[in-house]
Structures are given as structure tokens and as C-alpha cells.
Amino acid sequence: MSVYLDHAATTPMRAESLTAYTEALAHIGNPASIHSTGQRAKQRLEESRETIARSLGCDPIEVILTSGGTESINLALKGLFWSRNADGTRPIMLVPGGEHHATIDTVEWLASHDGADVRWLPLDDEGMLQPAALDQALTEAGDACAVVTVIHANNEVGTVQPIVELSRVCARYDVPLHVDAVAAYGHLPIDVADIRTRSGAVAASGLVALSVSAHKIGGPVGVGALYLSRSATVEPLMHGGGQQRDVRSGTQDVAGAIAFAAAAEPAMRELPDETRRLEALRDALIEGVEQTVPDVVVNGSRQNRLPGNAHFSFPGCEGDSLLFLLDMAGVAVSTGSACQAGIPEPSHVLQAMGRDEKEARGALRVSLGRTTTRDDVDAFLTALPGAHRQAHKAGLSDRDVTRR
Ligand SMILES: Cc1ncc(COP(=O)(O)O)c(C=O)c1O
């Protein structure tokens, strides 16, 4: 059995969610049907939506169920862009560097197909988008900004963004903000009503949309949600039966919603204790790595980072060499960065944080989760010296890598 330290990629399903899912799959009923079998399905669906809404601090009507984080992000970004730029007067999208590819590829698609004017915002050396940088970009955009998007917590380096402050800046310019909270959900408390109130968001300004995914919190893959403020208007991606406020047509996935809710409820209940437990394990892991490899660089913010995230650059090593060597030693970790046609790319997040390509290639992400124990951390620390020695000996290959 290998030691699994890649919870940011996906985390094991919770027993409650698996049981609820399999039981629910055995039930018949389309929630749109009028008969009582359909209405019972609708009731189970809406009870699940209520639980998911509670986990986000919003009203059930504001929860649009989707097929996952990627769809939620596409719906929010394309939907807000199409709606706000319908007459061509607001083509600007403000996007920080270092976002997840679900965001990068969506805005690049909008740029090449629909004339979006994508403006990349700078990150500081910890991976933070400073509110002042957003303020300046919004001043420069004048009245032409369709939407601002930002990742709540970076899935690679774990840096947590100042969401209230960023929402406040957007509210001041009367611009909608979408937040990719896929990596943050279940690890940081999220309360959209509180964020809106504290940031002075009114109507469709400030935080209006937020994406989450069930498989990051112990629910199934293929289920997600978009919080979409009732005051926000989006053009739908899909057309059909008009379900879910006409925003996301298609027969609703009752079993998926039930399984999602069954994971969300315990995840929220356990969050405070789990945060303390994971932070202690993560700090022990970082300390152990620093003792083993004195020239290691810990990436991201020391203070504002996800409880279960540790992200390193190992000078003179390829991140993927370390990954394979650790895998051979029975420890599953990640470089955190994307892979194109089987060839690992240098981390675009580290590059957005101002690091050179060499540093961006020596990156390794170790992400802890609900099932992680002290023994797992020790197993990683035991395997690291050998893997590091070999990866360092192999050094950095001189192959040409595509830069984004
Ligand atoms: C920050 C972030 N956004 C979006 C996604 C995509 O979510 P999904 O896998 O549910 O499509 C991920 C998944 O890794 C993520 O970490």
C-alpha cells in the first residue's frame, strides 16, 4: 500500500458519501416529474442543495449543481463574460497569473473565439494578488471590465488570497468577482454572505460566483457546484429543459447531489479540528524537509497557506524525477503543475511568482488530507533523502519545455 500524499489532486471518498451515493443510485425518479416518485426525488435533491448551500453560506436557490469544478468555472467565466459583454462594451477580463488551467484555458478560449481582452495581473513572490494591483487594473479598465476572477487558495503553492479585500475592490468598481474555491473548499471556512457583507458587495458587484467540487472534500468525482448570486446574470453554457434557474439545463443528478451533501456536512463539522491537525502535520513535514535538504525553498506564504499544503523547490532536481523516485519508494506526491502530452511543464504558478524556469522545474507538492497520519509524514521523510540524492545526481535535463 503506498502512502498517499496527493490529496489536492483528489481525496478518498468518505464512507458516508459512498454509502449515500450507492443507496441513492438505486432510487428511481426525475425531480422534474410531477408524480410522487419524481417529487420524492425532488425532495431529496433540494434537501441536499440546502446542505451544500449551508456549507457555502448562501441560499439554496444560489447553488447551481454542475459536473465539477471545471464546469462551474466555465459557466461562471463564459456566462458572466457573454452576459456583460453582449453589446461589446465590456471585453476586459482581469485574471491573476498562476490560476488553475480550468480558468487559464477558459479565458484564453474566450480571447481567441469571442474577443475577450484578457489582462494578467501580477502575483507577489508569495503568490498573492495584492488588492492594490487589482485596483490599478480596474482603474485602467475604466467601464470595460466584464469580470474579475481569482483562485481562493492556489492548488499548487497553497497561498490563500485576501478574498474580502479583493471583493471590496470589485464592489467599489461595480464589477462582478468569480472565485475558484475548488482547492479551498473543505479546508478553509467559506461564507459567501459574510464575504459579500464585509466587502460591501451589493447587487451584481463584488463576489457573485464561486466554484467548488465534491471530489476534493470526500465526495464523488463528476459533481460540483457554482454559487451564483441571485442578482448575477449569466448566459448558460447548455440549453435544454431550463432546470436550475435556466442557468444549467439537464436532468438533475440527485444521487450526485446526495453524495456531495453527505461529504459536505462532516467536512464542515470537522473543519476547525482538522485544520489544527493538518497544520501541525504540515509544519512537521516542512521542518523535516528543511533539515534533510538545507537548500530547499518552501514556496508560497508561510502564514496564509492551506493547512494541508507543502510546496517545495529542490535546486538542481527535476520535480518529476523526485516524483517518480518517491513513487518507487511507495510515496505518492505531485509536482502540482500541469502535464502536456505526458511531458511535465515547469510550474506556471512559480513563474507567475517571478521564479526562473529552473526553479519552476524543481517543484514538488505534498498535500495532506483527512486520512493522513504522522506515519505517512514519517514515511515521506524517510524516502526523501534517497530520492533527493538520485534526482540531484540526474540533475536538470536540458530538454526544451514549452512555456506558457
Ligand atoms: C483550484 C482548482 N480549480 C479547478 C479544478 C478543477 O476541478 P474538477 O476536477 O472538479 O473539474 C481543480 C482540480 O484540481 C483545482 O484544484
Side-chain angles (χ1 to χ4, degrees):
M1 234 332 234
S2 74
V3 171
Y4 186 77
L5 291 172
D6 196 15
H7 289 263
T10 194
T11 202
M13 267 187 92
R14 288 174 177 269
E16 323 65 325
S17 180
L18 189 56
T19 306
Y21 201 17
T22 44
E23 279 178 16
L25 283 168
H27 283 118
I28 182 87
N30 183 330
S33 298
I34 308 291
H35 48 65
S36 49
T37 305
Q39 289 310 296
R40 276 195 294 277
K42 184 173 168 63
Q43 191 184 347
R44 290 196 297 275
L45 173 69
E46 295 311 327
E47 283 168 4
S48 304
R49 197 189 308 275
E50 278 169 30
T51 303
I52 297 162
R54 262 198 309 281
S55 77
L56 294 169
C58 65
D59 292 335
I61 186 80
E62 295 175 313
V63 173
I64 308 294
L65 294 164
T66 66
S67 66
T70 301
E71 185 191 329
S72 299
I73 291 166
N74 271 265
L75 175 56
L77 295 182
K78 291 176 181 162
L80 284 165
F81 176 80
W82 286 331
S83 154
R84 300 232 331 139
N85 190 47
D87 61 2
T89 58
R90 294 195 198 101
I92 295 175
M93 304 185 83
L94 298 181
V95 188
E99 291 288 300
H100 189 273
H101 271 284
T103 293
I104 295 174
D105 293 16
T106 299
V107 299
E108 287 185 343
W109 186 90
L110 284 169
S112 58
H113 289 77
D114 277 336
D117 173 359
V118 179
R119 301 196 178 170
W120 301 98
L121 305 177
L123 297 180
D124 68 15
D125 57 3
E126 292 191 343
M128 194 90 81
L129 170 62
Q130 293 297 336
L134 176 59
D135 198 312
Q136 191 188 329
L138 279 165
T139 302
E140 284 163 12
D143 291 332
C145 183
V147 57
V148 176
T149 187
V150 67
I151 200 163
H152 193 326
N154 189 279
N155 55 296
E156 267 187 59
V157 300
T159 302
V160 179
Q161 301 293 348
I163 293 300
V164 174
E165 288 74 12
L166 296 172
S167 174
R168 186 175 297 130
V169 175
C170 290
R172 218 176 319 120
Y173 286 85
D174 198 15
V175 167
L177 171 69
H178 164 256
V179 171
D180 169 3
V182 173
Y185 187 52
H187 299 283
L188 302 173
I190 295 174
D191 185 334
V192 293
D194 181 60
I195 297 170
R196 277 182 60 82
T197 306
R198 285 198 289 144
S199 64
V202 285
S205 74
L207 176 67
V208 299
L210 180 139
S211 295
V212 294
S213 183
H215 76 101
K216 307 288 187 180
I217 63 160
V221 174
V223 185
L226 177 68
Y227 150 73
L228 183 65
S229 162
R230 45 160 56 83
S231 45
T233 309
V234 296
E235 276 299 321
L237 296 181
M238 296 188 291
H239 300 90
Q243 290 90 342
Q244 304 201 78
R245 291 162 58 185
D246 229 349
V247 166
R248 206 267 189 180
S249 282
T251 299
Q252 296 193 70
D253 177 5
V254 181
I258 288 173
F260 187 173
E265 201 275 322
M268 298 310 137
R269 187 167 15 89
E270 293 165 10
L271 198 145
D273 288 346
E274 196 54 3
T275 299
R276 279 189 287 276
R277 193 184 76 83
L278 287 180
E279 279 176 347
L281 285 176
R282 176 203 64 196
D283 291 347
L285 188 140
I286 291 178
E287 207 183 305
V289 173
E290 287 180 319
Q291 277 166 10
T292 310
V293 185
D295 67 348
V296 75
V297 179
V298 180
N299 299 312
S301 167
R302 291 270 180 169
Q303 285 82 39
N304 302 306
R305 78 180 306 131
L306 285 172
N309 172 289
H311 194 270
F312 307 98
S313 286
F314 290 92
C317 300
E318 287 279 0
D320 51 313
S321 303
L322 278 166
L323 188 160
F324 287 122
L325 289 160
L326 287 164
D327 195 31
M328 278 161 60
V331 182
V333 295
S334 160
T335 60
S337 53
C339 199
Q340 299 258 314
I343 299 175
E345 289 188 328
S347 161
H348 71 282
V349 179
L350 290 180
Q351 288 179 315
M353 288 160 61
R355 306 294 183 73
D356 63 28
E357 192 187 304
K358 275 196 176 125
E359 275 186 277
R361 281 163 62 185
L364 198 74
R365 178 184 72 187
V366 186
S367 55
L368 322 183
R370 194 181 80 258
T371 56
T372 306
T373 61
R374 178 70 213 210
D375 284 351
D376 294 335
V377 171
D378 290 344
F380 170 78
L381 292 174
T382 303
L384 181 64
H388 179 257
R389 212 176 308 115
Q390 270 184 276
H392 201 266
K393 219 161 106 193
L396 289 170
S397 72
D398 54 7
R399 74 161 181 255
D400 190 18
V401 279
T402 321
R403 294 191 67 167
R404 189 168 269 283

